[in-house]
Amino acid sequence: MISNTGITISVDAMGGDHGPSVVLPGAAIALQRHPGTRFVLFGQSEAVLPVLDQHPELKAASTFHHCEISIRMDDKPSQALRQGRYKSSMWRAIEAVKTHEADVAVSAGNTGALMAMAKFCLRTMANIERPAIAAIWPTLRGESIVLDVGATIGADAQQLIDFSMMGGAMARALFGVERPTVGLLNIGVEEVKGQDEIREAGRLLKETPIPGIDYRGFVEGDDLGQGTVDVVVTEGFTGNIALKTAEGTARQIGAYLKAAMNRTWMARAGYLLARSAFQRLRDKMDPRKVNGGVFLGLNGIVIKSHGGTDAEGIAAAIDLAHAMARHGLREKIEADLENFHLRVSDDVPATPESSSQ
Amino acid sequence: MISNTGITISVDAMGGDHGPSVVLPGAAIALQRHPGTRFVLFGQSEAVLPVLDQHPELKAASTFHHCEISIRMDDKPSQALRQGRYKSSMWRAIEAVKTHEADVAVSAGNTGALMAMAKFCLRTMANIERPAIAAIWPTLRGESIVLDVGATIGADAQQLIDFSMMGGAMARALFGVERPTVGLLNIGVEEVKGQDEIREAGRLLKETPIPGIDYRGFVEGDDLGQGTVDVVVTEGFTGNIALKTAEGTARQIGAYLKAAMNRTWMARAGYLLARSAFQRLRDKMDPRKVNGGVFLGLNGIVIKSHGGTDAEGIAAAIDLAHAMARHGLREKIEADLENFHLRVSDDVPATPESSSQ
């Protein structure tokens, strides 16, 4: 089946806790949902080819490249770079984006190594100091984007503004809203709250509005699940803690619910009657459904899947990669950045009169 | 009924969104659970006395002091201090702890004002630079203590160690464990992760073990709900975001569950059958059950209740205050601090030989 989307996705087949045995079935599921997608697969042939043979449709849609080296889940970023640069399956999946062989790369490998390699190979965009990892956050209103969830610790005001722009571009691509709402994560909504960087970023976003986003001020931790804004911006340490706290809380409540429904025969009978409702709830809370961190701010899009996920989770990460490529996320970010930095750039000489306006 | 506990609790009757109409019924519930408790109530007599008359047992157990001034929920800390020092119900409830008229103070007033007044009135303990707010966190194992959840933004290594000690003392008081386990909240468990302050605190806690606590290294956001350690230590910004994110996630899942159970008649029938199980779940998730942030590191214990809670929530905060006083939390912290600082103090001269060991 030929589709007119013509999207090619490079995949690190060795990534994640289970490697090809989960990554390839995941790609096969995604291919069914997006017929016409092409794949470039990287991995050790002895591990990849037997699994690929079991998925003839995926095999027909794929080009395979043997790579001797795989990055382990516990490799340190520096170690991964030293041993895996230029030749590991992770590196080569990223490199395929750089050489335009692929539109987007997907790996379930370890986050630190993947980010280090992606930065080294793709480099940060002009006007961006630091990349960020954006997560899709399920909310009562639908979904929001939260960034940074762990690329770097700390962010100054300018970096928070960059994150706002990049998250805004991603929201436009993913949710199809024209001017996504953006909030800065803080411990109160008053202007006096929070670290200097956050207050400064808030002041700048108010004083110099960015055309593509609708800045709404500070939001708090409980606004994340409510979906108060389309994009929640924070530095990577706080974002990572918030993300894992929410995941842990969801698991905790799931465990409470399971225990409660098993306690009496009445509860068990009720559970059976309401089974489809519980299934819906489980679907809602299924972390695999929103699997995939998007690396933003590099000259190319890389999607990080959870390492411990199954084929469905990998498929969700590839779905996300497909959406990001289909909607031209990278080009959207580049255009936004160029527009914005042209407007505020110091390189544009201004007469004293005009600059004081 | 006379009890041998002899605990006196001072209460800011004007605090919270609903003032005396919720605070006093809350105190009345707590009194039923802890007969023999004495209360010192502060507030405007026109607002307090009519409600107090409806609770004769509470009235009999209480001393009331009229205060003309009440701190509003949106007063800034500086404003509250300026207008309410020495004379507001909030100040006087705190002051009662300083003058030993009460063992512990409770207020549902605004956090910033309460902390500012508590610091000004009670002063920080010797050897403690900054107070912290500790929250009780419901976990799969029971409960943990998390601090700081919002007293101050940022903390250096020494402050994180102080928080570990204070949290450890609180865990001993509240959970009755001899050497509570303590973890530092971080974005990974490896020693290289996190901000300098966190890594430095981790190194020091490993190298110079504190007798009263069992330091277990770094924990992540999802360890909070699992109850991996008894005490989770973090600086106030991250702690506040984590706390509100967890509360928001719990509310979000509650809303999903409600919607799912209302969708079909089968689900509704199942819900009715399993009603007691859902009630147990609701109890587990009830934020009122664990209401109360404990101010640690001051010369006196102050409990902050959620402002928007009802009488049950206030009662839970007073229960917590009672437990903290009953177990001598303040004395436990003081003893721990003295022990520890005696051991590592710079004031103890060391010969060059011994100091280099």
Side-chain angles (χ1 to χ4, degrees), chain A residues 7-274:
Chain A
I7 283 168
T8 303
I9 298 173
S10 64
V11 176
D12 167 15
M14 309 304 288
D17 298 345
H18 313 294
S21 68
V22 155
V23 174
L24 297 185
I29 296 170
L31 175 61
Q32 283 180 347
R33 296 201 279 242
H34 308 286
T37 307
R38 297 281 315 165
F39 289 93
V40 200
L41 308 174
F42 298 90
Q44 285 174 311
S45 49
E46 319 86 78
V48 173
L49 294 180
V51 188
L52 193 55
D53 279 336
Q54 293 164 31
H55 299 277
E57 292 189 6
L58 177 65
K59 192 175 179 182
S62 301
T63 315
F64 170 68
H65 298 283
H66 171 70
C67 305
E68 199 51 45
I69 307 234
S70 311
I71 303 301
R72 282 191 311 260
M73 291 308 276
D74 57 354
D75 278 348
K76 297 218 170 74
S78 55
Q79 208 175 348
L81 263 182
R82 212 164 42 239
Q83 291 165 4
R85 195 163 41 188
Y86 311 125
K87 49 194 178 189
S88 63
S89 57
M90 184 185 274
W91 174 276
R92 294 201 53 203
I94 298 167
E95 199 182 30
V97 173
K98 188 184 182 184
T99 61
H100 300 287
E101 202 183 342
D103 299 296
V104 52
V106 177
S107 174
N110 100 56
T111 312
L114 188 63
M115 180 50 92
M117 289 210 187
K119 264 158 67 172
F120 197 95
C121 180
L122 298 171
R123 304 283 163 185
T124 50
M125 285 177 164
N127 293 322
I128 289 286
E129 271 175 70
R130 281 182 182 181
I133 304 177
I136 318 276
W137 196 291
T139 76
L140 286 178
R141 275 181 56 233
E143 286 175 341
S144 297
I145 290 163
V146 181
L147 76 167
D148 173 23
V149 295
T152 339
I153 290 174
D156 62 24
Q158 183 55 52
Q159 287 159 353
L160 291 171
I161 292 171
D162 291 346
F163 294 174
S164 305
M165 262 188 289
M166 298 196 292
M170 180 167 159
R172 277 207 303 291
L174 200 61
F175 308 145
V177 284
E178 206 150 311
R179 273 184 81 223
T181 53
V182 174
L184 289 171
L185 189 61
N186 203 340
I187 57 172
V189 296
E190 305 85 8
E191 284 182 20
V192 296
K193 292 277 176 117
Q195 292 100 332
D196 293 345
E197 307 86 81
I198 298 178
R199 284 185 286 126
E200 173 73 358
R203 195 182 59 74
L204 289 170
L205 283 168
K206 261 198 187 137
E207 286 178 4
T208 315
I210 297 174
I213 64 172
D214 177 9
Y215 175 65
R216 292 288 180 90
F218 298 145
V219 296
E220 299 191 61
D222 47 355
D223 288 305
L224 287 162
Q226 313 304 306
T228 309
V229 288
D230 296 317
V231 180
V232 177
V233 171
T234 181
E235 57 81 34
F237 185 87
T238 309
N240 186 277
I241 298 281
L243 180 66
K244 288 188 178 155
T245 300
E247 286 172 352
T249 305
R251 259 204 303 282
Q252 180 186 3
I253 296 173
Y256 286 158
L257 187 59
K258 199 171 163 190
M261 291 302 142
N262 265 315
R263 258 190 88 247
T264 63
W265 70 264
M266 287 259 284
R268 279 194 294 273
Y271 174 80
L272 287 177
L273 266 181

Side-chain angles (χ1 to χ4, degrees), chain A residues 300-320:
Chain A
I301 303 290
V302 175
I303 309 286
K304 156 76 174 108
S305 159
H306 261 299
T309 194
D310 61 8
E312 272 301 337
I314 298 283
I318 294 177
D319 288 347
L320 182 61

